[in-house]
Amino acid sequence: MSSDSSDEQEGDGFDSESDSSDRELQIALRDGLIKPGLVVEARPKRTFINNTQKLNEKLQQIRVQLSWTERLDITTPPAAAAPGTEDAEDNLTETELAENDFKRELSFYRQAQAAVLEGVSLLKKHNIPYKRPDDYYAEMAKSDAHMQKVREKILSKEAELERREKIRKLRTMKKFGKQVQTEVLQKRQKEKREMLDSVKKFRKGKLENLDFLDGNSKQKPNGGQGNKNPKRDFRDKKFGFGGRKKRGKYNTGKSAADLSGFNVK
């Protein structure tokens, strides 16, 4: 209840102040002190003070004279541009450089390159090592669990890419298979059409024979016997081509009378 009463008192005070200010404006307008129209409160003109002497004195008080090894600050102009690009990069205005992302990034790169070259020479001059030793050990900024999650994320992305690549290959192969199948069907339809045309010509007497019916049959190599098995050839040479083989080496009347192979000695 106390807070509500205090809020009401503050609201009443604000209303009374606004009423008094409105009354004052009405009296001033009646007496001709202000003219009808928009009334703007006049404020005193702000003056800016630029006391260079005092600023320099304060700068000298707070300045700390430290060597470069303690500051490690470098201010250098951009490095030399690549051959053939000097005019294109150095003749740009600030507005053109601000609107050209590529040229702006290239100027940052040249600035950093010049600073690195100057900094390395200064570090060598002051005998300060700037390369990491071979046995240097530093704790990782991220934990092993976090890096494991990163590895799993990378592996999952690679697996997804491989899966998409396999699907793309399968679609390509399926499309190629359909194309081959279409070509085979078209070829069969063409052969069928040609055969039907030949049959019609034979019926009309334009053809005398039916050799076209055997034209589509492919002749087998080796006189229609096809490819022989090497094992079958070896057995044929060793055992012959069938027939009676029992008592194959018995003498007959003709072989008994043949004495051409008889040796007297």
Side-chain angles (χ1 to χ4, degrees):
M1 295 297 291
S2 59
S3 61
D4 295 339
S5 60
S6 60
D7 292 341
E8 291 177 357
Q9 292 176 1
E10 290 180 358
D12 295 340
F14 180 77
D15 294 339
S16 60
E17 289 178 0
S18 61
D19 294 340
S20 61
S21 61
D22 292 342
R23 191 177 302 104
E24 291 176 357
L25 288 174
Q26 292 175 0
I27 295 171
L29 182 62
R30 183 192 62 188
D31 296 341
L33 299 177
I34 59 175
K35 295 181 180 181
L38 181 64
V39 179
V40 180
E41 182 181 359
R43 295 182 180 180
K45 187 176 181 180
R46 185 177 179 183
T47 58
F48 298 93
I49 301 174
N50 185 15
N51 195 340
T52 308
Q53 182 180 358
K54 292 293 183 180
L55 290 174
N56 290 329
E57 290 177 0
K58 183 59 65 176
L59 178 62
Q60 293 298 329
Q61 291 178 5
I62 64 176
R63 176 177 291 175
V64 179
Q65 298 293 339
L66 297 175
S67 61
W68 181 84
T69 57
E70 297 293 335
R71 302 192 317 270
L72 297 178
D73 56 344
I74 298 175
T75 304
T76 58
T85 60
E86 296 87 351
D87 297 337
E89 297 177 10
D90 297 335
N91 295 335
L92 293 176
T93 62
E94 293 183 359
T95 305
E96 293 175 348
L97 190 62
E99 295 178 354
N100 193 329
D101 295 340
F102 177 75
K103 298 297 183 183
R104 185 173 65 253
E105 294 296 331
L106 188 59
S107 64
F108 292 161
Y109 171 77
R110 289 173 55 193
Q111 183 78 30
Q113 185 181 12
V116 168
L117 295 175
E118 183 69 19
V120 169
S121 62
L122 289 174
L123 290 173
K124 289 181 179 179
K125 181 179 178 181
H126 293 86
N127 296 324
I128 299 176
Y130 61 93
K131 289 185 177 180
R132 185 178 65 182
D134 297 334
D135 57 348
Y136 179 78
Y137 175 77
E139 186 178 357
M140 295 178 61
K142 297 181 180 179
S143 62
D144 294 338
H146 181 79
M147 295 305 298
Q148 184 65 25
K149 291 181 180 179
V150 173
R151 293 191 194 95
E152 292 177 357
K153 187 69 175 177
I154 293 173
L155 291 176
S156 63
K157 287 184 178 180
E158 292 179 354
E160 182 66 19
L161 291 176
E162 290 180 358
R163 188 182 69 83
R164 291 181 180 179
E165 185 68 18
K166 289 181 179 179
I167 293 174
R168 187 184 64 81
K169 289 182 178 180
L170 288 174
R171 287 178 180 174
T172 305
M173 293 174 63
K174 187 176 181 181
K175 184 177 180 181
F176 180 74
K178 288 183 178 179
Q179 183 179 358
V180 172
Q181 186 178 5
T182 305
E183 291 177 356
V184 171
L185 292 175
Q186 290 177 355
K187 185 178 179 181
R188 290 179 181 176
Q189 291 176 0
K190 183 180 178 181
E191 292 176 354
K192 184 177 180 180
R193 228 175 9 252
E194 291 177 353
M195 182 178 292
L196 292 175
D197 293 340
S198 300
V199 171
K200 290 180 181 180
K201 290 179 181 180
F202 177 76
R203 288 179 179 178
K204 292 179 180 180
K206 295 181 180 180
L207 295 178
E208 298 180 356
N209 52 21
L210 296 175
D211 295 339
F212 61 87
L213 296 176
D214 298 333
N216 295 329
S217 61
K218 297 181 180 180
Q219 186 177 2
K220 295 183 180 180
N222 299 327
Q225 297 179 0
N227 296 328
K228 285 189 176 182
N229 191 351
K231 294 183 179 180
R232 182 74 268 168
D233 293 340
F234 175 76
R235 291 173 182 173
D236 290 343
K237 291 179 182 179
K238 184 176 181 181
F239 303 107
F241 295 92
R244 183 178 179 182
K245 296 181 177 60
K246 190 175 181 181
R247 302 185 182 88
K249 296 183 179 180
Y250 281 11
N251 283 334
T252 59
K254 185 178 179 180
S255 64
D258 185 11
L259 300 177
S260 59
F262 180 72
N263 189 359
V264 179
K265 297 180 180 180

